[in-house]
Amino acid sequence: MEYRKWYDKKITTSLLGYGAMRFTTDKDGNIEKEKADELIKKAYDRGVNYFDTAMPYTDGKNEAFLGESLKRFPRDSFYLATKLSLGYLKTKEEVLNAIDLQLKSLQT
């Protein structure tokens, strides 16, 4: 796996990141957790240390699932990114609340 250093930061991430947008789901729209967990573990075991998600992915279930799945790895061994979906938020208070909810969902 190739890695890149982030400018003057003490951050080095895998050149290949894991985008968690499209986990397979069952007929009820629930993430097929065993399959998704296996994919995440394979990526991690092969050196991927950058994982990406967003609040609306998988009908709002993605962040909580990814946070739970990544808990099996040491927290300092990977980087986790999410996006703030401003299209859903109207006020500063909603933005701040959304950030807190995202951190809670991601279990960070």
Side-chain angles (χ1 to χ4, degrees), residues 12-23:
T12 302
T13 55
S14 52
L15 188 57
L16 178 65
Y18 189 100
M21 182 178 186
R22 300 200 195 292
F23 290 128

Side-chain angles (χ1 to χ4, degrees), residues 13-90:
T13 55
S14 52
L15 188 57
L16 178 65
Y18 189 100
M21 182 178 186
R22 300 200 195 292
F23 290 128
T24 57
T25 56
D26 63 20
K27 61 183 166 106
D28 297 321
N30 297 309
I31 295 170
E32 292 182 351
K33 293 180 180 182
E34 286 183 24
K35 289 181 182 179
D37 273 334
E38 184 179 333
L39 291 171
I40 292 166
K41 183 169 181 355
K42 281 183 180 180
Y44 182 87
D45 288 347
R46 286 161 177 79
V48 172
N49 72 349
Y50 181 84
F51 296 85
D52 172 82
T53 184
M55 189 185 321
Y57 293 177
T58 327
D59 293 326
K61 300 171 188 153
N62 200 287
E63 288 178 334
F65 170 75
L66 188 59
E68 183 65 31
S69 184
L70 290 172
K71 279 180 23 177
R72 62 189 144 162
F73 308 121
R75 181 60 188 94
D76 63 352
S77 70
F78 63 88
Y79 295 91
L80 180 56
T82 191
K83 293 156 220 60
L84 189 58
S85 302
L86 294 176
Y88 297 98
L89 309 168
K90 306 290 183 230

